[in-house]
Amino acid sequence: MAGQDDLHDVAHLFVDVVIVGAGPAGCAAALWAASEGLSVCMLHRPERRHYSPGETLHPAIEPLLRQLGAHRVLLDPGVERHEGHFVEWNCERRFQPFGGDADGPWRGFHVCRQMFDGGLRTAATDAGVVTHEVGRVEPMVDDHGTVIGVRHAGGTVPARVVVDAAGAGHWLSRALGLPICRRSPRLVARYGLVSGERSHDGPLLTAESDGWTWTAPVADGTIAWVRLPFDCASAAAIGAPAELASIGGVAAIARGADVTWRSVTPVAGPGYVLVGDAAFVLDPLSSHGVMHAIMSGMMAADMIAKHLVGRAPIHVTQAAYIDWSTDRFNTDIEHLRSMYAQMPNPPEWAMQ
């Protein structure tokens, strides 16, 4: 089945897997499921024109994308490389490298997020995934509580498994009434782009009295920034860091995102799986957002494939995925708490 955008008629399409959302998590799930010979339909909203964060990627993203057959997205001429980042966390600036091996230092990637996500969607359609732009999507649930597909304005898409890759809005979890456990007070991160040149190269993470700031060059003359104040009431008034505001013009309006630490339980159940931010959310200091999205999509699709082709019982594959997601969430929380404990003024809630 050839993949294509703007499919004219999916009203009666039946597939093994329908994925709602076409970001890194959704595309990773689609690519892995398609490589296992499953029929896949990926539904997504029309491409957003505003800026999205998440451009600084760890070197470990490359072998994952190679497994998915999507590593070409990192070969774009606009992708810059870096060997680590600067950290100014306790009144002292130091360079923190990724590491290296006999072949030399490991290098991460600075990418344009729109280019990166678009490249993943192209790889998915090239792999035979049917893609379609839709608006509001609702789950179809049978009398036994099993998710059996989705419906949208254009019709229905029955499926053996539904994957929620639509992000931190927890679309499917809210529809099914799944518990969302919060592990922090409400946190709102602000982010945007600034045009101009900085006095130093590479990404920089800076601790402040009331939060932290991350800046990173994305392309020639463009710098991405993210700021997280611990008092979310002040987030709406926060703009670009003073260092950046003084060197150039605004390239993208500042936006906000709810990054309250939270997870959904369970992340897999009768006919459904949650991946990426749909499964759990942590603030960007964890630095694993895109990496987690890709890994969770691959893990979920592998779980689905093992069940659908009869290699393992569903309760075994679901338990393995739930355990992996829970362990990942808890490990990242401990990492965040360790980072915050080293701040000049650590927030009390992170130490609990």
Side-chain angles (χ1 to χ4, degrees), residues 25 36 57 71 113 150 171 214 230 239 307 329 346 348:
E36 292 283 351
L57 307 179
H71 63 282
R113 185 60 186 273
V150 299
W171 155 78
W214 168 267
F230 295 142
H307 164 57
F329 180 62
E348 291 184 6

Side-chain angles (χ1 to χ4, degrees), residues 119-260:
L120 291 179
R121 286 195 295 271
T122 297
T125 56
D126 289 347
V129 175
V130 173
T131 63
H132 184 54
E133 288 187 355
V134 298
R136 182 180 177 84
V137 176
E138 297 178 351
M140 300 190 300
V141 183
D142 68 12
D143 294 338
H144 303 288
T146 299
V147 181
I148 57 173
V150 299
R151 63 172 59 91
H152 58 90
T156 63
V157 184
R160 300 169 73 183
V161 180
V162 173
V163 177
D164 179 5
H170 306 294
W171 155 78
L172 186 58
S173 302
R174 296 183 188 280
L176 298 180
L178 302 177
I180 301 175
C181 175
R182 289 168 174 80
R183 301 279 291 275
S184 76
R186 188 166 185 266
L187 300 173
V188 177
R190 300 285 287 177
Y191 59 89
L193 291 175
V194 168
S195 299
E197 297 294 337
R198 291 191 308 181
S199 60
H200 61 87
D201 295 325
L204 170 64
L205 174 64
T206 306
E208 298 166 344
S209 60
D210 60 347
W212 54 262
T213 297
W214 168 267
T215 59
V218 180
D220 291 342
T222 305
I223 303 166
W225 61 269
V226 179
R227 302 183 73 187
L228 179 67
F230 295 142
D231 177 13
C232 78
S234 65
I238 287 180
E243 174 200 1
L244 300 185
S246 64
I247 64 174
V250 175
I253 301 299
R255 290 182 169 272
D258 183 350
V259 294
T260 305

Side-chain angles (χ1 to χ4, degrees), residues 12 38 67 90 159 172 181 193 259 275 305:
H12 303 291
L38 302 180
Q67 289 184 65
N90 199 2
L172 186 58
C181 175
L193 291 175
V259 294
V275 299

Side-chain angles (χ1 to χ4, degrees), residues 9-352:
D9 184 12
V10 294
H12 303 291
L13 180 68
F14 177 82
V15 293
D16 293 317
V17 185
V18 61
I19 299 169
V20 180
C27 289
L31 283 161
W32 194 271
S35 73
E36 292 283 351
L38 302 180
S39 56
V40 185
C41 176
M42 187 163 59
L43 305 177
H44 62 97
R45 292 191 173 183
E47 183 177 355
R48 297 181 298 178
R49 299 301 178 186
H50 61 72
Y51 161 70
S52 296
E55 313 84 353
T56 304
L57 307 179
H58 191 276
I61 199 76
E62 185 173 12
L64 294 178
L65 293 178
R66 286 190 178 277
Q67 289 184 65
L68 292 169
H71 63 282
R72 291 188 301 276
V73 72
L74 298 176
L75 303 179
D76 187 276
V79 174
E80 298 184 16
R81 306 297 302 272
H82 63 296
E83 297 179 3
H85 57 270
F86 293 93
V87 178
E88 194 171 294
W89 205 243
N90 199 2
C91 304
E92 180 180 333
R93 183 175 296 187
R94 60 185 173 82
F95 183 73
Q96 184 170 308
F98 289 121
D101 54 28
D103 295 326
W106 297 332
R107 297 192 297 161
F109 303 87
H110 292 310
V111 302
C112 167
R113 185 60 186 273
Q114 281 79 1
M115 177 277 294
F116 182 76
D117 289 2
L120 291 179
R121 286 195 295 271
T122 297
T125 56
D126 289 347
V129 175
V130 173
T131 63
H132 184 54
E133 288 187 355
V134 298
R136 182 180 177 84
V137 176
E138 297 178 351
M140 300 190 300
V141 183
D142 68 12
D143 294 338
H144 303 288
T146 299
V147 181
I148 57 173
V150 299
R151 63 172 59 91
H152 58 90
T156 63
V157 184
R160 300 169 73 183
V161 180
V162 173
V163 177
D164 179 5
H170 306 294
W171 155 78
L172 186 58
S173 302
R174 296 183 188 280
L176 298 180
L178 302 177
I180 301 175
C181 175
R182 289 168 174 80
R183 301 279 291 275
S184 76
R186 188 166 185 266
L187 300 173
V188 177
R190 300 285 287 177
Y191 59 89
L193 291 175
V194 168
S195 299
E197 297 294 337
R198 291 191 308 181
S199 60
H200 61 87
D201 295 325
L204 170 64
L205 174 64
T206 306
E208 298 166 344
S209 60
D210 60 347
W212 54 262
T213 297
W214 168 267
T215 59
V218 180
D220 291 342
T222 305
I223 303 166
W225 61 269
V226 179
R227 302 183 73 187
L228 179 67
F230 295 142
D231 177 13
C232 78
S234 65
I238 287 180
E243 174 200 1
L244 300 185
S246 64
I247 64 174
V250 175
I253 301 299
R255 290 182 169 272
D258 183 350
V259 294
T260 305
W261 301 359
R262 60 192 187 273
S263 63
V264 178
T265 303
V267 293
Y272 77 87
V273 187
L274 313 177
V275 299
D277 286 349
F280 71 74
V281 175
L282 290 169
D283 75 62
L285 186 62
S286 68
S287 72
H288 294 151
V290 175
M291 181 79 70
H292 163 67
I294 296 287
M295 291 177 65
S296 66
M298 295 171 68
M299 294 286 289
D302 187 63
M303 175 199 79
I304 293 168
K306 285 179 178 176
H307 164 57
L308 293 186
V309 302
R311 294 201 299 268
I314 185 61
H315 69 276
V316 173
T317 58
Q318 282 188 350
Y321 180 69
I322 291 171
D323 287 347
W324 175 84
S325 183
T326 301
D327 181 68
R328 182 88 186 183
F329 180 62
N330 290 331
T331 298
D332 279 0
I333 280 184
E334 291 308 311
H335 169 70
L336 283 171
R337 285 177 171 163
S338 176
M339 287 285 291
Y340 283 133
Q342 300 172 46
M343 295 185 75
N345 299 297
E348 291 184 6
W349 52 264
M351 302 300 101
Q352 299 173 359

